Amino acid sequence: MTTFDRRDLLKGAGAAALVSGLGAPALAQAAGKVVVGTWGGDYARLLTKNIEDPILKPKGMEVVQDQAGDAPRRAKMVAERRLPRGTVDIQGLSAANMYEMNEAGVIETIDYAKIPNAKNLIPAMKYPYGVGHIYSGNVVIYNPKVITAAPTGFKDWLDPKHGNKIGFIDIQYQSIMIAASLAGTNGASMNDLDKAKEVLMAVKKAGARVYPTNEAFAAAMKNEEIGISAIWKARVVQWQNAGIPCEAVSPVEGIPIYVSGFVIQKNAPNKDNAYAYMNAMLEKAPQEAFAVDMGYNGTVTGLTVAPDLQKRIGFTPEEEKKLRDLDYAFLAKNDSAMKEWWDKVFKA
């Protein structure tokens, strides 16, 4: 289990600043085509708004988005592994899925010399096989009108006394089991699946509800059908902006981190343009825009974010000490078993 302490991680920022003036390799003028694998919805729209339209298209690059959930996109990456040329250049994935695809042998080792803006990356967002784009942390979300005593963490969320006011989002099964492990071990482990199952079985029996999508969950939170759960802090901010009554609490047991990033396929037909895309996403303007538009923290240093927004999307120095990077090897090894158990218990 790795503790994600940004204050330690940012120690490299000063050194990066010293070398930034020594002549970073010039990025070739972007031109031609790049195919970007991404989720649809707001994320795809904001990639277009903040990266593609203002930075890449004026340089003559044609950007084509291949929109789908990460599971079918990962399956396609593996299926295309033996082809000399794949159909996608750069893929948007979570850090856990970046690790999984690296283990599958289908993505490029990143040549950071081809990404001048990488000099500003927070060190923890600089993976050998991918580049972190935005990040947030998993927090408890609750409606104070429904849950009158403010929770302090995952254990309070997963208390059977809340009955059918406890809500789960089906597609978040992995993060739910991580939170349940932390709840069951009082913060000692994110990987104790036996404890996680024990905690979740208790709230299942108490009447916890499961919703198929983030949108369905948000509707249930808005109409007070449910009152407490856990979700990425960025999503809480988005829902607050949409008028859904909810508050975020950083769990005392620790704050699992969520990183969304990009990888380059080994057989990408346009690798130079994939690197150009990565460099563009690390520009100051789009990084700041994603903080405003989506409530996610940027992965580079030196950003200017309004103090009131930073308070809502970010973490205090004390909370930063509790940010925890996930055990990606454990998740890759156990994901299928976790999903099978989850479906059997909560979807049967």
Side-chain angles (χ1 to χ4, degrees), residues 51-301:
I51 299 172
E52 298 162 8
D53 283 352
I55 300 175
L56 296 173
K57 291 179 183 178
K59 295 178 179 179
M61 184 179 294
E62 177 191 0
V63 182
V64 178
Q65 290 188 354
D66 178 28
Q67 296 183 12
D70 61 78
R73 287 190 287 112
R74 283 182 284 130
K76 184 164 74 170
M77 292 169 71
V78 173
E80 294 182 350
R81 176 166 41 195
R82 291 180 174 81
L83 298 178
R85 289 166 64 88
T87 58
V88 178
D89 299 302
I90 183 170
Q91 290 278 5
L93 298 171
S94 69
N97 288 335
M98 290 196 296
Y99 176 92
E100 180 185 348
M101 290 296 94
N102 183 61
E103 290 295 292
V106 298
I107 56 178
E108 190 90 348
T109 298
I110 299 298
D111 181 354
Y112 279 94
K114 296 182 178 180
I115 311 174
N117 287 327
K119 66 181 182 291
N120 300 318
L121 266 173
I122 295 170
M125 300 299 164
K126 195 173 182 179
Y127 300 87
Y129 45 78
V131 178
H133 176 215
I134 52 178
Y135 79 91
S136 190
N138 201 26
V139 298
V140 177
I141 177 176
Y142 76 106
N143 183 338
K145 291 176 63 179
V146 180
I147 307 296
T148 55
T152 62
F154 293 136
K155 193 170 185 177
D156 287 348
W157 161 38
L158 296 168
D159 189 330
K161 73 180 182 182
H162 297 308
N164 64 7
K165 294 303 180 183
I166 296 173
F168 294 132
I169 301 171
D170 179 55
I171 59 174
Q172 300 288 346
Y173 70 90
Q174 196 177 79
S175 62
I176 292 167
M177 296 194 75
I178 291 169
S181 174
L182 286 167
T185 62
N186 293 314
S189 173
M190 294 188 290
N191 297 342
D192 192 327
L193 295 183
D194 289 336
K195 281 290 186 183
K197 292 174 183 178
E198 180 182 324
V199 169
L200 292 172
M201 284 299 298
V203 294
K204 162 72 173 177
K205 292 177 182 177
R209 305 172 189 262
V210 179
Y211 297 87
T213 63
N214 294 336
E215 292 74 18
F217 175 91
M221 180 69 76
K222 187 172 184 177
N223 66 28
E224 301 181 9
E225 183 174 283
I226 53 171
I228 190 166
S229 189
I231 193 68
W232 311 119
K233 193 174 186 180
R235 181 67 69 173
V236 178
V237 174
Q238 293 171 39
W239 286 340
Q240 288 171 338
N241 291 343
I244 297 172
C246 57
E247 300 293 336
V249 173
S250 293
V252 295
E253 299 92 349
I255 309 169
I257 196 167
Y258 172 78
V259 179
S260 178
F262 281 92
V263 298
I264 298 174
Q265 292 191 200
K266 274 188 176 179
N267 57 358
N270 306 293
K271 286 185 182 178
D272 286 345
N273 286 346
Y275 277 109
Y277 198 100
M278 283 185 168
N279 194 63
M281 80 183 189
L282 299 180
E283 293 278 356
K284 187 173 186 289
Q287 285 270 304
E288 292 172 350
F290 267 87
V292 173
D293 292 337
M294 285 196 79
Y296 279 87
N297 297 278
T299 56
V300 300
T301 59

Side-chain angles (χ1 to χ4, degrees), residues 10-69:
L10 290 172
K11 289 177 182 177
L18 290 175
V19 301
S20 63
L22 298 182
L27 198 69
Q29 177 72 14
K33 179 180 179 180
V34 63
V35 180
V36 182
T38 180
W39 303 272
D42 286 342
Y43 190 67
R45 177 179 62 81
L46 293 172
L47 290 176
T48 300
K49 174 190 172 187
N50 297 322
I51 299 172
E52 298 162 8
D53 283 352
I55 300 175
L56 296 173
K57 291 179 183 178
K59 295 178 179 179
M61 184 179 294
E62 177 191 0
V63 182
V64 178
Q65 290 188 354
D66 178 28
Q67 296 183 12

